[in-house]
Amino acid sequence: MRNPYVIEGPAQIAFSGGRTSGYLLHQILEANGGLPPDVHVSFQNTGKERPETLEFIHEVETRWNVPLKWLEWTGRSTDGGFRRPSWKYVDFATADRVGTPFASLIREKGYLPNVMHRICTANLKIRVGEAFMRSLGYEEWDSVMGIRADEPKRVARMRKPGRDNSAGDPLLPLATANVTKPEILAWWKGQPFDLQLDPQGDLGNCDLCFLKARGKNVAALRREPKLAVWWLQQENVVGNTFIKGYVSYSDLVREAEFMNSQIEMFAHAQAVDDGYDERIADCMCGD
Ligand code: SF4
């Protein structure tokens, strides 16, 4: 069988900054003896990725010597509108870290993304990636994605006949090679560096993405309440909510505060009953 990691260009490798896309990139570099000249790696920054994600991307590009292109959406273009946006190159040092591209898109559109209408993925990620490849002169190319064999719904969506492939024909080497998440996590354990985010914590991509499970976003807010600020600001600007079925991110903040207060009360009761023990308090905080 043909090695699924051998890539014939032109192609674009969509690098998300996660362990899966890092593993994919590594396998491609190994199978091709480096990056073929017409294969391009890009990361489209929304400004809401975690600092750990940006540091991981930077480690990948420097340790593996990959000419990875950091791109940011800057607005709709005068000739192609949202479909052919304007964008700019950034790098690890200059990449936005305060959600500017994402907030600008929301202001231009005048509404928020939601589960049914992911204007953020479509514009900040897909359309910028497409515009980048077109700027290099390509009209057709493969879009190499880190979608694994244990994500059958995503695989099916990408391979669905009639899909709009104007941003590249999907190529899914990990699904073809039958690679699953446990295999990737085990591989990273053997590497000299890794993404400094908990693989079960779901903090990759945008920090409080509305697609993440409510419990995971609440858990993130319990640890870092200030994460809510940006999301609440966007809701206030537009006067609407990201998440259908909840009033707003303020619901998640309240839930996180309530859970923390319950744990504090419990920790206090334990201290009274058993005598204060810092290790128990630490354990409860990290529970
Ligand atoms: S991670 Fe979530 S919020 Fe960020 S671009 Fe993707 S869908 Fe949008």
PDB file of all heavy atoms in Angstrom, residues 111-131:
ATOM      1  N   TYR A 111     -22.675  39.878  13.681  1.00  0.00           N
ATOM      2  CA  TYR A 111     -23.310  38.829  14.483  1.00  0.00           C
ATOM      3  C   TYR A 111     -22.251  37.828  14.942  1.00  0.00           C
ATOM      4  O   TYR A 111     -21.111  37.838  14.449  1.00  0.00           O
ATOM      5  CB  TYR A 111     -24.444  38.128  13.723  1.00  0.00           C
ATOM      6  CG  TYR A 111     -24.054  37.477  12.419  1.00  0.00           C
ATOM      7  CD1 TYR A 111     -23.692  36.138  12.359  1.00  0.00           C
ATOM      8  CD2 TYR A 111     -24.072  38.202  11.222  1.00  0.00           C
ATOM      9  CE1 TYR A 111     -23.353  35.546  11.148  1.00  0.00           C
ATOM     10  CE2 TYR A 111     -23.736  37.625  10.022  1.00  0.00           C
ATOM     11  CZ  TYR A 111     -23.380  36.280   9.983  1.00  0.00           C
ATOM     12  OH  TYR A 111     -23.030  35.710   8.794  1.00  0.00           O
ATOM     13  N   LEU A 112     -22.661  36.957  15.875  1.00  0.00           N
ATOM     14  CA  LEU A 112     -21.728  36.007  16.470  1.00  0.00           C
ATOM     15  C   LEU A 112     -21.803  34.657  15.767  1.00  0.00           C
ATOM     16  O   LEU A 112     -22.869  34.281  15.274  1.00  0.00           O
ATOM     17  CB  LEU A 112     -22.073  35.790  17.953  1.00  0.00           C
ATOM     18  CG  LEU A 112     -22.010  37.016  18.864  1.00  0.00           C
ATOM     19  CD1 LEU A 112     -22.582  36.665  20.235  1.00  0.00           C
ATOM     20  CD2 LEU A 112     -20.573  37.490  19.006  1.00  0.00           C
ATOM     21  N   PRO A 113     -20.698  33.910  15.786  1.00  0.00           N
ATOM     22  CA  PRO A 113     -20.796  32.533  15.293  1.00  0.00           C
ATOM     23  C   PRO A 113     -21.576  31.683  16.286  1.00  0.00           C
ATOM     24  O   PRO A 113     -21.703  32.043  17.462  1.00  0.00           O
ATOM     25  CB  PRO A 113     -19.331  32.077  15.230  1.00  0.00           C
ATOM     26  CG  PRO A 113     -18.608  32.942  16.188  1.00  0.00           C
ATOM     27  CD  PRO A 113     -19.353  34.244  16.255  1.00  0.00           C
ATOM     28  N   ASN A 114     -22.092  30.580  15.828  1.00  0.00           N
ATOM     29  CA  ASN A 114     -22.706  29.601  16.738  1.00  0.00           C
ATOM     30  C   ASN A 114     -22.537  28.213  16.122  1.00  0.00           C
ATOM     31  O   ASN A 114     -21.923  28.078  15.052  1.00  0.00           O
ATOM     32  CB  ASN A 114     -24.171  29.939  17.026  1.00  0.00           C
ATOM     33  CG  ASN A 114     -25.002  29.980  15.766  1.00  0.00           C
ATOM     34  OD1 ASN A 114     -24.960  29.055  14.959  1.00  0.00           O
ATOM     35  ND2 ASN A 114     -25.733  31.067  15.573  1.00  0.00           N
ATOM     36  N   VAL A 115     -23.084  27.216  16.785  1.00  0.00           N
ATOM     37  CA  VAL A 115     -22.866  25.830  16.345  1.00  0.00           C
ATOM     38  C   VAL A 115     -23.301  25.628  14.895  1.00  0.00           C
ATOM     39  O   VAL A 115     -22.653  24.914  14.120  1.00  0.00           O
ATOM     40  CB  VAL A 115     -23.638  24.857  17.268  1.00  0.00           C
ATOM     41  CG1 VAL A 115     -23.526  23.429  16.783  1.00  0.00           C
ATOM     42  CG2 VAL A 115     -23.116  24.967  18.690  1.00  0.00           C
ATOM     43  N   MET A 116     -24.401  26.260  14.508  1.00  0.00           N
ATOM     44  CA  MET A 116     -24.932  26.068  13.158  1.00  0.00           C
ATOM     45  C   MET A 116     -24.225  26.947  12.129  1.00  0.00           C
ATOM     46  O   MET A 116     -24.261  26.649  10.941  1.00  0.00           O
ATOM     47  CB  MET A 116     -26.433  26.418  13.126  1.00  0.00           C
ATOM     48  CG  MET A 116     -27.280  25.606  14.065  1.00  0.00           C
ATOM     49  SD  MET A 116     -27.118  23.838  13.734  1.00  0.00           S
ATOM     50  CE  MET A 116     -27.884  23.731  12.122  1.00  0.00           C
ATOM     51  N   HIS A 117     -23.599  28.018  12.597  1.00  0.00           N
ATOM     52  CA  HIS A 117     -23.069  29.006  11.653  1.00  0.00           C
ATOM     53  C   HIS A 117     -21.678  29.423  12.117  1.00  0.00           C
ATOM     54  O   HIS A 117     -21.520  30.431  12.800  1.00  0.00           O
ATOM     55  CB  HIS A 117     -24.033  30.196  11.622  1.00  0.00           C
ATOM     56  CG  HIS A 117     -23.955  30.982  10.356  1.00  0.00           C
ATOM     57  ND1 HIS A 117     -24.016  30.407   9.119  1.00  0.00           N
ATOM     58  CD2 HIS A 117     -23.797  32.309  10.136  1.00  0.00           C
ATOM     59  CE1 HIS A 117     -23.913  31.336   8.191  1.00  0.00           C
ATOM     60  NE2 HIS A 117     -23.766  32.497   8.786  1.00  0.00           N
ATOM     61  N   ARG A 118     -20.695  28.630  11.715  1.00  0.00           N
ATOM     62  CA  ARG A 118     -19.335  28.841  12.236  1.00  0.00           C
ATOM     63  C   ARG A 118     -18.572  29.825  11.355  1.00  0.00           C
ATOM     64  O   ARG A 118     -17.663  29.456  10.628  1.00  0.00           O
ATOM     65  CB  ARG A 118     -18.623  27.499  12.328  1.00  0.00           C
ATOM     66  CG  ARG A 118     -19.223  26.620  13.422  1.00  0.00           C
ATOM     67  CD  ARG A 118     -18.789  25.199  13.323  1.00  0.00           C
ATOM     68  NE  ARG A 118     -17.334  25.043  13.341  1.00  0.00           N
ATOM     69  CZ  ARG A 118     -16.723  23.885  13.260  1.00  0.00           C
ATOM     70  NH1 ARG A 118     -17.416  22.782  13.176  1.00  0.00           N
ATOM     71  NH2 ARG A 118     -15.411  23.811  13.281  1.00  0.00           N
ATOM     72  N   ILE A 119     -18.947  31.078  11.453  1.00  0.00           N
ATOM     73  CA  ILE A 119     -18.278  32.087  10.620  1.00  0.00           C
ATOM     74  C   ILE A 119     -16.798  32.229  10.982  1.00  0.00           C
ATOM     75  O   ILE A 119     -15.997  32.664  10.165  1.00  0.00           O
ATOM     76  CB  ILE A 119     -18.963  33.467  10.709  1.00  0.00           C
ATOM     77  CG1 ILE A 119     -19.065  33.934  12.163  1.00  0.00           C
ATOM     78  CG2 ILE A 119     -20.310  33.445  10.017  1.00  0.00           C
ATOM     79  CD1 ILE A 119     -19.481  35.393  12.308  1.00  0.00           C
ATOM     80  N   CYS A 120     -16.445  31.854  12.197  1.00  0.00           N
ATOM     81  CA  CYS A 120     -15.042  31.964  12.612  1.00  0.00           C
ATOM     82  C   CYS A 120     -14.185  30.934  11.877  1.00  0.00           C
ATOM     83  O   CYS A 120     -13.163  31.287  11.262  1.00  0.00           O
ATOM     84  CB  CYS A 120     -14.918  31.808  14.120  1.00  0.00           C
ATOM     85  SG  CYS A 120     -15.984  30.530  14.810  1.00  0.00           S
ATOM     86  N   THR A 121     -14.584  29.679  11.883  1.00  0.00           N
ATOM     87  CA  THR A 121     -13.839  28.653  11.151  1.00  0.00           C
ATOM     88  C   THR A 121     -13.773  29.004   9.672  1.00  0.00           C
ATOM     89  O   THR A 121     -12.708  28.966   9.052  1.00  0.00           O
ATOM     90  CB  THR A 121     -14.538  27.273  11.273  1.00  0.00           C
ATOM     91  OG1 THR A 121     -14.870  27.045  12.622  1.00  0.00           O
ATOM     92  CG2 THR A 121     -13.663  26.162  10.752  1.00  0.00           C
ATOM     93  N   ALA A 122     -14.952  29.333   9.121  1.00  0.00           N
ATOM     94  CA  ALA A 122     -15.033  29.568   7.682  1.00  0.00           C
ATOM     95  C   ALA A 122     -14.127  30.719   7.247  1.00  0.00           C
ATOM     96  O   ALA A 122     -13.426  30.622   6.224  1.00  0.00           O
ATOM     97  CB  ALA A 122     -16.472  29.862   7.282  1.00  0.00           C
ATOM     98  N   ASN A 123     -14.121  31.810   8.012  1.00  0.00           N
ATOM     99  CA  ASN A 123     -13.381  33.007   7.578  1.00  0.00           C
ATOM    100  C   ASN A 123     -11.956  33.058   8.107  1.00  0.00           C
ATOM    101  O   ASN A 123     -11.009  33.252   7.341  1.00  0.00           O
ATOM    102  CB  ASN A 123     -14.141  34.265   8.005  1.00  0.00           C
ATOM    103  CG  ASN A 123     -15.443  34.414   7.252  1.00  0.00           C
ATOM    104  OD1 ASN A 123     -15.463  34.901   6.138  1.00  0.00           O
ATOM    105  ND2 ASN A 123     -16.533  33.962   7.842  1.00  0.00           N
ATOM    106  N   LEU A 124     -11.814  32.894   9.434  1.00  0.00           N
ATOM    107  CA  LEU A 124     -10.483  33.079  10.041  1.00  0.00           C
ATOM    108  C   LEU A 124      -9.542  31.935   9.695  1.00  0.00           C
ATOM    109  O   LEU A 124      -8.327  32.125   9.622  1.00  0.00           O
ATOM    110  CB  LEU A 124     -10.616  33.182  11.561  1.00  0.00           C
ATOM    111  CG  LEU A 124     -11.541  34.279  12.091  1.00  0.00           C
ATOM    112  CD1 LEU A 124     -11.676  34.179  13.601  1.00  0.00           C
ATOM    113  CD2 LEU A 124     -11.035  35.656  11.687  1.00  0.00           C
ATOM    114  N   LYS A 125     -10.106  30.754   9.481  1.00  0.00           N
ATOM    115  CA  LYS A 125      -9.278  29.574   9.207  1.00  0.00           C
ATOM    116  C   LYS A 125      -9.298  29.218   7.715  1.00  0.00           C
ATOM    117  O   LYS A 125      -8.277  29.300   7.032  1.00  0.00           O
ATOM    118  CB  LYS A 125      -9.780  28.372  10.034  1.00  0.00           C
ATOM    119  CG  LYS A 125      -9.714  28.558  11.546  1.00  0.00           C
ATOM    120  CD  LYS A 125      -8.310  28.378  12.059  1.00  0.00           C
ATOM    121  CE  LYS A 125      -8.239  28.445  13.568  1.00  0.00           C
ATOM    122  NZ  LYS A 125      -6.886  28.367  14.085  1.00  0.00           N
ATOM    123  N   ILE A 126     -10.474  28.826   7.229  1.00  0.00           N
ATOM    124  CA  ILE A 126     -10.529  28.244   5.876  1.00  0.00           C
ATOM    125  C   ILE A 126     -10.248  29.283   4.794  1.00  0.00           C
ATOM    126  O   ILE A 126      -9.402  29.077   3.926  1.00  0.00           O
ATOM    127  CB  ILE A 126     -11.901  27.558   5.651  1.00  0.00           C
ATOM    128  CG1 ILE A 126     -12.064  26.407   6.660  1.00  0.00           C
ATOM    129  CG2 ILE A 126     -12.013  27.039   4.221  1.00  0.00           C
ATOM    130  CD1 ILE A 126     -13.434  25.790   6.685  1.00  0.00           C
ATOM    131  N   ARG A 127     -10.949  30.402   4.849  1.00  0.00           N
ATOM    132  CA  ARG A 127     -10.789  31.390   3.763  1.00  0.00           C
ATOM    133  C   ARG A 127      -9.395  32.024   3.768  1.00  0.00           C
ATOM    134  O   ARG A 127      -8.848  32.334   2.715  1.00  0.00           O
ATOM    135  CB  ARG A 127     -11.866  32.473   3.865  1.00  0.00           C
ATOM    136  CG  ARG A 127     -13.256  31.983   3.551  1.00  0.00           C
ATOM    137  CD  ARG A 127     -13.415  31.576   2.083  1.00  0.00           C
ATOM    138  NE  ARG A 127     -14.616  30.777   1.907  1.00  0.00           N
ATOM    139  CZ  ARG A 127     -14.703  29.653   1.203  1.00  0.00           C
ATOM    140  NH1 ARG A 127     -13.633  29.175   0.581  1.00  0.00           N
ATOM    141  NH2 ARG A 127     -15.828  28.994   1.091  1.00  0.00           N
ATOM    142  N   VAL A 128      -8.831  32.214   4.951  1.00  0.00           N
ATOM    143  CA  VAL A 128      -7.462  32.768   4.990  1.00  0.00           C
ATOM    144  C   VAL A 128      -6.486  31.745   4.410  1.00  0.00           C
ATOM    145  O   VAL A 128      -5.589  32.095   3.628  1.00  0.00           O
ATOM    146  CB  VAL A 128      -7.065  33.159   6.430  1.00  0.00           C
ATOM    147  CG1 VAL A 128      -5.584  33.454   6.524  1.00  0.00           C
ATOM    148  CG2 VAL A 128      -7.861  34.373   6.879  1.00  0.00           C
ATOM    149  N   GLY A 129      -6.669  30.475   4.760  1.00  0.00           N
ATOM    150  CA  GLY A 129      -5.796  29.429   4.204  1.00  0.00           C
ATOM    151  C   GLY A 129      -5.900  29.374   2.695  1.00  0.00           C
ATOM    152  O   GLY A 129      -4.894  29.251   1.983  1.00  0.00           O
ATOM    153  N   GLU A 130      -7.114  29.505   2.202  1.00  0.00           N
ATOM    154  CA  GLU A 130      -7.322  29.479   0.747  1.00  0.00           C
ATOM    155  C   GLU A 130      -6.664  30.696   0.079  1.00  0.00           C
ATOM    156  O   GLU A 130      -5.967  30.569  -0.934  1.00  0.00           O
ATOM    157  CB  GLU A 130      -8.833  29.470   0.456  1.00  0.00           C
ATOM    158  CG  GLU A 130      -9.141  29.498  -1.022  1.00  0.00           C
ATOM    159  CD  GLU A 130     -10.636  29.670  -1.325  1.00  0.00           C
ATOM    160  OE1 GLU A 130     -11.463  29.535  -0.402  1.00  0.00           O
ATOM    161  OE2 GLU A 130     -10.945  29.949  -2.499  1.00  0.00           O
ATOM    162  N   ALA A 131      -6.881  31.867   0.684  1.00  0.00           N
ATOM    163  CA  ALA A 131      -6.312  33.092   0.102  1.00  0.00           C
ATOM    164  C   ALA A 131      -4.784  33.019   0.073  1.00  0.00           C
ATOM    165  O   ALA A 131      -4.141  33.487  -0.876  1.00  0.00           O
ATOM    166  CB  ALA A 131      -6.769  34.309   0.904  1.00  0.00           C
TER     167      ALA A 131
END
